[in-house]
Amino acid sequence: MGSSSPTVRKRQLGLALADLRQQAGKTREDAAAALECSLSKISRIEHGDVGVRPIELRELLDLYGVGKDERGRVEELARLARQRRPRTTYGSAIPDWFRKFVNLEEVASEIRAYDSELVTGLLQTRDYARALIEATPLHRPEEIDRVLAAREARQRLITGDEPIRVWAVMSEGAVRRMVGGRGVMTAQLEYLAELGGQPHITIQVVPFAAGAHPSTGFNFSLLRFPDDDGADIAYLEHLTGASYLDRDRPQELKVYEITFNALSAAALPPADSLRLLDNVRQEL
């Protein structure tokens, strides 16, 4: 997580190009016509999903009437965004549809997540995560260590010098589900209690007594970014892929914002949630 990441640069470049387009009074259709490309490509460039070739960048900057000084800044962003990320030993263990989330997670300033079945991924212990991975038929035995390495790399986001803020809401079922046996669950609950004491992590549990709530049966995550106030992304995952809702779909995104706030209101306050976790641990 850092300003040197190509993922960060792609996002900054996309935001800069979107701002320049709007200042010039141009539409995405105008940009697509200038590049002779699809409208979806312009959208992906502005969202930071893909980079832009030097010749394409020159066309866009000419279209937007960008001056020399600003042009130099944007061209340098584009150059940095084209740099390749260092190869990792676990890269192939992450499916392509999830890699986008991992990249976005790296540059987020806050992650809010609701999980109904399992402990939130960033908050899982290694043994808990291993038990989950071994329970799925999707990973070959030789891949398990690489998947775990990928999970641990992601968890540096909350343990590093500049940790991101995490607000995790989980159902009581998620913290009571026996994963990996009593020893593994005891350690997992103790770890949650430890994390819940950190100033950048908020953990809440929706008790069974709360009954039905707005996200019964649905998990989702909301990512917030430091460089784009209010332009969150909602991430929805299923077995073979994922969906992303962003500022191009503001009404749908708002539904998830409202739902998360309702979940937080239905959940126990953080201190009471930690007491529930301790009660569950003692019951084991």
Side-chain angles (χ1 to χ4, degrees):
M1 185 173 80
S3 60
S4 62
S5 164
T7 300
V8 176
R9 298 305 190 187
K10 280 183 183 177
R11 181 170 175 81
Q12 291 174 334
L13 175 63
L15 289 170
L17 288 173
D19 286 343
L20 290 170
R21 174 178 59 75
Q22 291 164 2
Q23 290 170 21
K26 302 295 183 180
T27 65
R28 284 182 178 168
E29 287 80 2
D30 295 329
L35 297 190
E36 297 182 349
C37 68
S38 67
L39 194 59
S40 65
K41 178 173 179 176
I42 299 301
S43 178
R44 294 179 69 204
I45 289 172
E46 293 187 353
H47 289 155
D49 292 338
V50 298
V52 57
R53 292 182 298 162
I55 190 171
E56 294 174 326
L57 183 62
R58 287 195 294 272
E59 289 284 350
L60 292 176
L61 296 180
D62 287 345
L63 176 67
Y64 304 155
V66 179
K68 181 179 179 181
D69 291 343
E70 181 69 4
R71 181 180 290 258
R73 184 183 73 83
V74 176
E75 288 175 340
E76 177 63 9
L77 268 179
R79 184 187 69 80
L80 293 171
R82 287 193 294 272
Q83 293 178 343
R84 291 187 177 275
R85 298 173 61 89
R87 297 179 69 88
T88 66
T89 59
Y90 55 78
S92 61
I94 302 176
D96 290 341
W97 54 264
F98 185 58
R99 188 172 289 112
K100 176 180 178 180
F101 178 78
V102 172
N103 290 339
L104 287 170
E105 192 178 53
E106 286 184 359
V107 299
S109 58
E110 181 183 49
I111 297 174
R112 289 169 288 166
Y114 171 69
D115 290 274
S116 62
E117 293 287 325
L118 301 167
V119 170
T120 301
L122 280 179
L123 311 184
Q124 294 172 5
T125 65
R126 181 180 178 85
D127 288 340
Y128 184 99
R130 178 182 286 277
L132 289 177
I133 294 166
E134 290 177 342
T136 175
L138 302 178
H139 298 294
R140 297 187 300 272
E142 63 271 20
E143 289 183 324
I144 291 176
D145 285 340
R146 286 191 294 142
V147 176
L148 285 171
R151 175 65 56 87
E152 290 180 336
R154 290 175 57 213
Q155 289 179 326
R156 296 188 193 115
L157 294 172
I158 64 172
T159 60
D161 294 335
E162 298 181 18
I164 61 173
R165 173 153 175 70
V166 175
W167 186 351
V169 178
M170 292 171 273
S171 73
E172 185 173 344
V175 299
R176 286 189 178 276
R177 181 177 298 279
M178 185 70 72
V179 174
R182 284 184 171 81
V184 170
M185 280 305 301
T186 297
Q188 176 64 75
L189 292 167
E190 289 172 347
Y191 184 54
L192 286 176
E194 176 186 336
L195 291 175
Q198 301 294 315
H200 62 287
I201 296 178
T202 299
I203 295 174
Q204 289 186 269
V205 177
V206 181
F208 289 142
H213 56 73
S215 196
T216 301
F218 298 96
N219 300 335
F220 65 93
S221 296
L222 290 167
L223 283 72
R224 179 169 290 160
F225 302 92
D227 55 6
D228 196 7
D229 183 39
D232 292 332
I233 289 176
Y235 171 76
L236 319 172
E237 185 177 308
H238 47 89
L239 284 176
T240 58
S243 300
Y244 297 82
L245 303 176
D246 56 30
R247 60 184 181 271
D248 283 349
R249 299 163 72 176
Q251 296 305 316
E252 293 177 66
L253 190 57
K254 188 66 176 177
V255 170
Y256 285 92
E257 291 273 2
I258 293 170
T259 299
F260 188 86
N261 290 338
L263 284 166
S264 177
L268 297 172
D272 292 341
S273 294
L274 293 182
R275 277 191 286 272
L276 186 148
L277 293 177
D278 188 55
N279 290 339
V280 175
R281 181 188 61 80
Q282 292 184 48
E283 291 172 10
L284 292 173

